[in-house]
Amino acid sequence: MIVKRRTFPLRIKINDAIQRRLPVNHPKLPEVIQDSMKTRAGHKGEEALDYYTSLLHEDEFHIFQGIRLKSGQTHFQIDSLLLSPSFALIIDAKNMAGTLTFHSPFNQMKRTFNDKTDTYEDPILQVKRHRLLLMKWLNDHHFPQIPIEYLVFSSNPSTALRNPNNDQEIYHRVCPPGKIIFKIEEFISKYKKELLSEKEYKKLSKLLFKSDVPSGSHLHQFKIDPSESLTGVQCPSCSQYAMERYSGTWNCTHCGITAKDAHHQAIEDYFLLINDRITNKQFREYLHIHSPKLATKLLANMNLKCQGTTRRSCYYTPN
């Protein structure tokens, strides 16, 4: 049973908004594009993992997709957590093309792709840290200690996996796509004894769901000032910020296309990059319109929450 479903990463939404709003010659743009590609690849790998775990019998596990927990002053995110009354399983998904070579003596992994080699921390080390943090989290919340297993899922079927030191942990813990279900079945066969009562199992599952802490904005990592972003309404056809509002619709002065709701994307960008609330005045300044009455009408038709009834009213998304 899936208790917590994976959501589309906020990080990707923010990166997309940055790319729409930054001038094409902005020095930070290549860094944003690179981060976006990496995050999208990671999300694709996690979705591949979700497909395989969906093949399990729904009564075998409570599944938490992309759960982020707090332990002390530390937050840790688990790509997929499978919980049963007998054991828990942490799975970390990696979606990397090329050849992955695991160098266990140094806890490193090298990826060779397109004649380029990059070095990363061994993902087994990362998932083992998550295991320790989850053990501490369970202890802090006064739950019985249950076995916690861990796997690294290599989601790309064309990725070559290399283990030059013949490390047994790598053989047992790193799984290509076709192996993951069989590895999970091994753990099910290994752990037969139920260590959590039905009441404890349900209580733990509810607490895990309630304790999930969504990740916040990562704009600070790029050190981009909001004043550097472009304002106005972007044309959905030619991508120019050349839309003007008249005769009840948006009209592009560059390519001539018309669009009734082109301002929706602009306000979504505002909420992602500037602030999670907007006033009538800020709306007009951001969209380059002059009429407070028109701004009120457009805001009222966007299914936004409104706080206050005066000219200082703020609008925000209902979620």
Side-chain angles (χ1 to χ4, degrees), residues 164-187:
N165 299 105
N166 293 318
D167 189 308
Q168 292 303 302
E169 184 177 38
I170 292 170
Y171 283 131
H172 290 303
R173 301 294 179 178
V174 179
C175 297
K179 183 180 177 182
I180 187 74
I181 290 297
F182 300 104
K183 194 64 186 178
I184 294 173
E185 293 292 343
E186 284 182 25
F187 292 137

PDB file of all heavy atoms in Angstrom, residues 164-187:
ATOM      1  N   PRO A 164      35.455  -3.783  -9.504  1.00  0.00           N
ATOM      2  CA  PRO A 164      36.794  -4.341  -9.729  1.00  0.00           C
ATOM      3  C   PRO A 164      37.403  -5.015  -8.501  1.00  0.00           C
ATOM      4  O   PRO A 164      38.281  -5.870  -8.647  1.00  0.00           O
ATOM      5  CB  PRO A 164      37.620  -3.124 -10.157  1.00  0.00           C
ATOM      6  CG  PRO A 164      36.888  -1.948  -9.603  1.00  0.00           C
ATOM      7  CD  PRO A 164      35.445  -2.305  -9.665  1.00  0.00           C
ATOM      8  N   ASN A 165      36.949  -4.656  -7.305  1.00  0.00           N
ATOM      9  CA  ASN A 165      37.505  -5.259  -6.086  1.00  0.00           C
ATOM     10  C   ASN A 165      36.704  -6.460  -5.601  1.00  0.00           C
ATOM     11  O   ASN A 165      36.988  -7.011  -4.542  1.00  0.00           O
ATOM     12  CB  ASN A 165      37.573  -4.216  -4.970  1.00  0.00           C
ATOM     13  CG  ASN A 165      38.456  -3.040  -5.329  1.00  0.00           C
ATOM     14  OD1 ASN A 165      37.981  -1.950  -5.637  1.00  0.00           O
ATOM     15  ND2 ASN A 165      39.765  -3.257  -5.333  1.00  0.00           N
ATOM     16  N   ASN A 166      35.687  -6.852  -6.402  1.00  0.00           N
ATOM     17  CA  ASN A 166      34.828  -7.987  -6.028  1.00  0.00           C
ATOM     18  C   ASN A 166      34.268  -7.843  -4.619  1.00  0.00           C
ATOM     19  O   ASN A 166      34.231  -8.796  -3.828  1.00  0.00           O
ATOM     20  CB  ASN A 166      35.593  -9.310  -6.159  1.00  0.00           C
ATOM     21  CG  ASN A 166      35.926  -9.626  -7.599  1.00  0.00           C
ATOM     22  OD1 ASN A 166      35.102  -9.433  -8.493  1.00  0.00           O
ATOM     23  ND2 ASN A 166      37.152 -10.092  -7.847  1.00  0.00           N
ATOM     24  N   ASP A 167      33.840  -6.646  -4.301  1.00  0.00           N
ATOM     25  CA  ASP A 167      33.275  -6.366  -2.985  1.00  0.00           C
ATOM     26  C   ASP A 167      31.883  -6.992  -2.894  1.00  0.00           C
ATOM     27  O   ASP A 167      31.000  -6.688  -3.695  1.00  0.00           O
ATOM     28  CB  ASP A 167      33.193  -4.845  -2.788  1.00  0.00           C
ATOM     29  CG  ASP A 167      32.819  -4.461  -1.376  1.00  0.00           C
ATOM     30  OD1 ASP A 167      31.803  -4.975  -0.880  1.00  0.00           O
ATOM     31  OD2 ASP A 167      33.537  -3.649  -0.767  1.00  0.00           O
ATOM     32  N   GLN A 168      31.683  -7.863  -1.906  1.00  0.00           N
ATOM     33  CA  GLN A 168      30.418  -8.577  -1.783  1.00  0.00           C
ATOM     34  C   GLN A 168      29.259  -7.642  -1.425  1.00  0.00           C
ATOM     35  O   GLN A 168      28.118  -7.881  -1.817  1.00  0.00           O
ATOM     36  CB  GLN A 168      30.548  -9.685  -0.733  1.00  0.00           C
ATOM     37  CG  GLN A 168      31.467 -10.820  -1.157  1.00  0.00           C
ATOM     38  CD  GLN A 168      31.019 -11.446  -2.472  1.00  0.00           C
ATOM     39  OE1 GLN A 168      29.887 -11.933  -2.597  1.00  0.00           O
ATOM     40  NE2 GLN A 168      31.902 -11.442  -3.464  1.00  0.00           N
ATOM     41  N   GLU A 169      29.551  -6.594  -0.677  1.00  0.00           N
ATOM     42  CA  GLU A 169      28.493  -5.660  -0.326  1.00  0.00           C
ATOM     43  C   GLU A 169      27.918  -4.997  -1.580  1.00  0.00           C
ATOM     44  O   GLU A 169      26.710  -4.805  -1.696  1.00  0.00           O
ATOM     45  CB  GLU A 169      29.008  -4.591   0.636  1.00  0.00           C
ATOM     46  CG  GLU A 169      27.907  -3.647   1.097  1.00  0.00           C
ATOM     47  CD  GLU A 169      28.391  -2.624   2.110  1.00  0.00           C
ATOM     48  OE1 GLU A 169      29.531  -2.140   1.968  1.00  0.00           O
ATOM     49  OE2 GLU A 169      27.624  -2.297   3.027  1.00  0.00           O
ATOM     50  N   ILE A 170      28.792  -4.678  -2.524  1.00  0.00           N
ATOM     51  CA  ILE A 170      28.332  -4.060  -3.764  1.00  0.00           C
ATOM     52  C   ILE A 170      27.468  -5.040  -4.553  1.00  0.00           C
ATOM     53  O   ILE A 170      26.405  -4.677  -5.079  1.00  0.00           O
ATOM     54  CB  ILE A 170      29.534  -3.581  -4.600  1.00  0.00           C
ATOM     55  CG1 ILE A 170      30.228  -2.422  -3.883  1.00  0.00           C
ATOM     56  CG2 ILE A 170      29.091  -3.153  -6.001  1.00  0.00           C
ATOM     57  CD1 ILE A 170      31.549  -2.023  -4.479  1.00  0.00           C
ATOM     58  N   TYR A 171      27.885  -6.300  -4.608  1.00  0.00           N
ATOM     59  CA  TYR A 171      27.086  -7.304  -5.311  1.00  0.00           C
ATOM     60  C   TYR A 171      25.695  -7.446  -4.687  1.00  0.00           C
ATOM     61  O   TYR A 171      24.697  -7.619  -5.387  1.00  0.00           O
ATOM     62  CB  TYR A 171      27.792  -8.658  -5.288  1.00  0.00           C
ATOM     63  CG  TYR A 171      28.934  -8.787  -6.261  1.00  0.00           C
ATOM     64  CD1 TYR A 171      30.172  -9.268  -5.846  1.00  0.00           C
ATOM     65  CD2 TYR A 171      28.780  -8.447  -7.601  1.00  0.00           C
ATOM     66  CE1 TYR A 171      31.230  -9.388  -6.740  1.00  0.00           C
ATOM     67  CE2 TYR A 171      29.825  -8.572  -8.497  1.00  0.00           C
ATOM     68  CZ  TYR A 171      31.048  -9.039  -8.063  1.00  0.00           C
ATOM     69  OH  TYR A 171      32.098  -9.165  -8.951  1.00  0.00           O
ATOM     70  N   HIS A 172      25.639  -7.361  -3.367  1.00  0.00           N
ATOM     71  CA  HIS A 172      24.379  -7.597  -2.663  1.00  0.00           C
ATOM     72  C   HIS A 172      23.498  -6.349  -2.559  1.00  0.00           C
ATOM     73  O   HIS A 172      22.289  -6.466  -2.369  1.00  0.00           O
ATOM     74  CB  HIS A 172      24.655  -8.129  -1.255  1.00  0.00           C
ATOM     75  CG  HIS A 172      25.198  -9.524  -1.235  1.00  0.00           C
ATOM     76  ND1 HIS A 172      24.533 -10.596  -1.805  1.00  0.00           N
ATOM     77  CD2 HIS A 172      26.344 -10.023  -0.715  1.00  0.00           C
ATOM     78  CE1 HIS A 172      25.258 -11.702  -1.640  1.00  0.00           C
ATOM     79  NE2 HIS A 172      26.353 -11.377  -0.983  1.00  0.00           N
ATOM     80  N   ARG A 173      24.112  -5.172  -2.645  1.00  0.00           N
ATOM     81  CA  ARG A 173      23.352  -3.956  -2.360  1.00  0.00           C
ATOM     82  C   ARG A 173      23.047  -3.088  -3.585  1.00  0.00           C
ATOM     83  O   ARG A 173      22.164  -2.234  -3.519  1.00  0.00           O
ATOM     84  CB  ARG A 173      24.125  -3.098  -1.342  1.00  0.00           C
ATOM     85  CG  ARG A 173      24.412  -3.801  -0.020  1.00  0.00           C
ATOM     86  CD  ARG A 173      23.141  -4.093   0.750  1.00  0.00           C
ATOM     87  NE  ARG A 173      23.416  -4.790   2.001  1.00  0.00           N
ATOM     88  CZ  ARG A 173      22.483  -5.138   2.886  1.00  0.00           C
ATOM     89  NH1 ARG A 173      21.210  -4.855   2.638  1.00  0.00           N
ATOM     90  NH2 ARG A 173      22.812  -5.768   3.991  1.00  0.00           N
ATOM     91  N   VAL A 174      23.754  -3.273  -4.681  1.00  0.00           N
ATOM     92  CA  VAL A 174      23.510  -2.469  -5.885  1.00  0.00           C
ATOM     93  C   VAL A 174      22.702  -3.298  -6.875  1.00  0.00           C
ATOM     94  O   VAL A 174      23.129  -4.392  -7.263  1.00  0.00           O
ATOM     95  CB  VAL A 174      24.831  -1.997  -6.523  1.00  0.00           C
ATOM     96  CG1 VAL A 174      24.544  -1.172  -7.783  1.00  0.00           C
ATOM     97  CG2 VAL A 174      25.637  -1.176  -5.522  1.00  0.00           C
ATOM     98  N   CYS A 175      21.544  -2.781  -7.277  1.00  0.00           N
ATOM     99  CA  CYS A 175      20.619  -3.567  -8.097  1.00  0.00           C
ATOM    100  C   CYS A 175      20.322  -2.885  -9.423  1.00  0.00           C
ATOM    101  O   CYS A 175      19.846  -1.740  -9.437  1.00  0.00           O
ATOM    102  CB  CYS A 175      19.291  -3.763  -7.361  1.00  0.00           C
ATOM    103  SG  CYS A 175      19.415  -4.702  -5.845  1.00  0.00           S
ATOM    104  N   PRO A 176      20.549  -3.576 -10.526  1.00  0.00           N
ATOM    105  CA  PRO A 176      20.009  -3.097 -11.805  1.00  0.00           C
ATOM    106  C   PRO A 176      18.497  -3.310 -11.802  1.00  0.00           C
ATOM    107  O   PRO A 176      17.964  -4.015 -10.933  1.00  0.00           O
ATOM    108  CB  PRO A 176      20.717  -3.975 -12.834  1.00  0.00           C
ATOM    109  CG  PRO A 176      21.054  -5.219 -12.090  1.00  0.00           C
ATOM    110  CD  PRO A 176      21.310  -4.827 -10.670  1.00  0.00           C
ATOM    111  N   PRO A 177      17.772  -2.728 -12.766  1.00  0.00           N
ATOM    112  CA  PRO A 177      16.310  -2.790 -12.732  1.00  0.00           C
ATOM    113  C   PRO A 177      15.724  -4.201 -12.584  1.00  0.00           C
ATOM    114  O   PRO A 177      14.829  -4.417 -11.767  1.00  0.00           O
ATOM    115  CB  PRO A 177      15.907  -2.150 -14.069  1.00  0.00           C
ATOM    116  CG  PRO A 177      17.016  -1.218 -14.383  1.00  0.00           C
ATOM    117  CD  PRO A 177      18.265  -1.888 -13.883  1.00  0.00           C
ATOM    118  N   GLY A 178      16.230  -5.161 -13.351  1.00  0.00           N
ATOM    119  CA  GLY A 178      15.629  -6.487 -13.339  1.00  0.00           C
ATOM    120  C   GLY A 178      15.821  -7.260 -12.049  1.00  0.00           C
ATOM    121  O   GLY A 178      15.129  -8.257 -11.811  1.00  0.00           O
ATOM    122  N   LYS A 179      16.728  -6.789 -11.191  1.00  0.00           N
ATOM    123  CA  LYS A 179      17.060  -7.535  -9.974  1.00  0.00           C
ATOM    124  C   LYS A 179      16.293  -7.064  -8.751  1.00  0.00           C
ATOM    125  O   LYS A 179      16.173  -7.800  -7.758  1.00  0.00           O
ATOM    126  CB  LYS A 179      18.570  -7.414  -9.731  1.00  0.00           C
ATOM    127  CG  LYS A 179      19.108  -8.193  -8.535  1.00  0.00           C
ATOM    128  CD  LYS A 179      20.611  -7.990  -8.394  1.00  0.00           C
ATOM    129  CE  LYS A 179      21.161  -8.692  -7.167  1.00  0.00           C
ATOM    130  NZ  LYS A 179      22.619  -8.456  -7.002  1.00  0.00           N
ATOM    131  N   ILE A 180      15.749  -5.846  -8.782  1.00  0.00           N
ATOM    132  CA  ILE A 180      15.257  -5.220  -7.560  1.00  0.00           C
ATOM    133  C   ILE A 180      14.118  -6.006  -6.909  1.00  0.00           C
ATOM    134  O   ILE A 180      14.119  -6.220  -5.687  1.00  0.00           O
ATOM    135  CB  ILE A 180      14.831  -3.745  -7.833  1.00  0.00           C
ATOM    136  CG1 ILE A 180      14.486  -3.033  -6.529  1.00  0.00           C
ATOM    137  CG2 ILE A 180      13.700  -3.676  -8.836  1.00  0.00           C
ATOM    138  CD1 ILE A 180      15.662  -2.680  -5.691  1.00  0.00           C
ATOM    139  N   ILE A 181      13.165  -6.493  -7.688  1.00  0.00           N
ATOM    140  CA  ILE A 181      12.034  -7.213  -7.111  1.00  0.00           C
ATOM    141  C   ILE A 181      12.494  -8.501  -6.442  1.00  0.00           C
ATOM    142  O   ILE A 181      12.042  -8.864  -5.350  1.00  0.00           O
ATOM    143  CB  ILE A 181      10.963  -7.510  -8.178  1.00  0.00           C
ATOM    144  CG1 ILE A 181      10.270  -6.213  -8.590  1.00  0.00           C
ATOM    145  CG2 ILE A 181       9.934  -8.503  -7.659  1.00  0.00           C
ATOM    146  CD1 ILE A 181       9.507  -5.533  -7.464  1.00  0.00           C
ATOM    147  N   PHE A 182      13.410  -9.206  -7.092  1.00  0.00           N
ATOM    148  CA  PHE A 182      13.906 -10.467  -6.531  1.00  0.00           C
ATOM    149  C   PHE A 182      14.690 -10.229  -5.247  1.00  0.00           C
ATOM    150  O   PHE A 182      14.649 -11.036  -4.319  1.00  0.00           O
ATOM    151  CB  PHE A 182      14.753 -11.198  -7.568  1.00  0.00           C
ATOM    152  CG  PHE A 182      13.998 -11.523  -8.821  1.00  0.00           C
ATOM    153  CD1 PHE A 182      14.195 -10.794  -9.984  1.00  0.00           C
ATOM    154  CD2 PHE A 182      13.049 -12.539  -8.845  1.00  0.00           C
ATOM    155  CE1 PHE A 182      13.489 -11.077 -11.139  1.00  0.00           C
ATOM    156  CE2 PHE A 182      12.339 -12.840  -9.987  1.00  0.00           C
ATOM    157  CZ  PHE A 182      12.553 -12.104 -11.144  1.00  0.00           C
ATOM    158  N   LYS A 183      15.390  -9.096  -5.183  1.00  0.00           N
ATOM    159  CA  LYS A 183      16.132  -8.774  -3.967  1.00  0.00           C
ATOM    160  C   LYS A 183      15.168  -8.473  -2.818  1.00  0.00           C
ATOM    161  O   LYS A 183      15.394  -8.894  -1.680  1.00  0.00           O
ATOM    162  CB  LYS A 183      17.047  -7.568  -4.230  1.00  0.00           C
ATOM    163  CG  LYS A 183      18.101  -7.372  -3.152  1.00  0.00           C
ATOM    164  CD  LYS A 183      19.071  -8.531  -3.107  1.00  0.00           C
ATOM    165  CE  LYS A 183      20.035  -8.415  -1.939  1.00  0.00           C
ATOM    166  NZ  LYS A 183      20.958  -9.552  -1.847  1.00  0.00           N
ATOM    167  N   ILE A 184      14.098  -7.768  -3.130  1.00  0.00           N
ATOM    168  CA  ILE A 184      13.091  -7.489  -2.104  1.00  0.00           C
ATOM    169  C   ILE A 184      12.458  -8.790  -1.618  1.00  0.00           C
ATOM    170  O   ILE A 184      12.228  -8.981  -0.419  1.00  0.00           O
ATOM    171  CB  ILE A 184      12.023  -6.518  -2.653  1.00  0.00           C
ATOM    172  CG1 ILE A 184      12.651  -5.152  -2.941  1.00  0.00           C
ATOM    173  CG2 ILE A 184      10.879  -6.367  -1.653  1.00  0.00           C
ATOM    174  CD1 ILE A 184      11.722  -4.176  -3.650  1.00  0.00           C
ATOM    175  N   GLU A 185      12.201  -9.705  -2.547  1.00  0.00           N
ATOM    176  CA  GLU A 185      11.627 -11.002  -2.175  1.00  0.00           C
ATOM    177  C   GLU A 185      12.571 -11.768  -1.251  1.00  0.00           C
ATOM    178  O   GLU A 185      12.123 -12.490  -0.350  1.00  0.00           O
ATOM    179  CB  GLU A 185      11.320 -11.825  -3.429  1.00  0.00           C
ATOM    180  CG  GLU A 185      10.203 -11.267  -4.303  1.00  0.00           C
ATOM    181  CD  GLU A 185       8.841 -11.346  -3.643  1.00  0.00           C
ATOM    182  OE1 GLU A 185       8.699 -12.105  -2.666  1.00  0.00           O
ATOM    183  OE2 GLU A 185       7.925 -10.641  -4.103  1.00  0.00           O
ATOM    184  N   GLU A 186      13.881 -11.634  -1.448  1.00  0.00           N
ATOM    185  CA  GLU A 186      14.856 -12.269  -0.548  1.00  0.00           C
ATOM    186  C   GLU A 186      14.683 -11.767   0.875  1.00  0.00           C
ATOM    187  O   GLU A 186      14.719 -12.538   1.840  1.00  0.00           O
ATOM    188  CB  GLU A 186      16.281 -11.981  -1.023  1.00  0.00           C
ATOM    189  CG  GLU A 186      16.726 -12.782  -2.223  1.00  0.00           C
ATOM    190  CD  GLU A 186      18.170 -12.473  -2.587  1.00  0.00           C
ATOM    191  OE1 GLU A 186      18.938 -12.039  -1.691  1.00  0.00           O
ATOM    192  OE2 GLU A 186      18.531 -12.640  -3.757  1.00  0.00           O
ATOM    193  N   PHE A 187      14.502 -10.453   1.024  1.00  0.00           N
ATOM    194  CA  PHE A 187      14.322  -9.882   2.360  1.00  0.00           C
ATOM    195  C   PHE A 187      13.012 -10.353   2.990  1.00  0.00           C
ATOM    196  O   PHE A 187      12.959 -10.630   4.197  1.00  0.00           O
ATOM    197  CB  PHE A 187      14.345  -8.354   2.299  1.00  0.00           C
ATOM    198  CG  PHE A 187      15.678  -7.771   1.931  1.00  0.00           C
ATOM    199  CD1 PHE A 187      15.763  -6.726   1.030  1.00  0.00           C
ATOM    200  CD2 PHE A 187      16.842  -8.264   2.482  1.00  0.00           C
ATOM    201  CE1 PHE A 187      16.987  -6.171   0.684  1.00  0.00           C
ATOM    202  CE2 PHE A 187      18.080  -7.727   2.153  1.00  0.00           C
ATOM    203  CZ  PHE A 187      18.153  -6.678   1.248  1.00  0.00           C
TER     204      PHE A 187
END
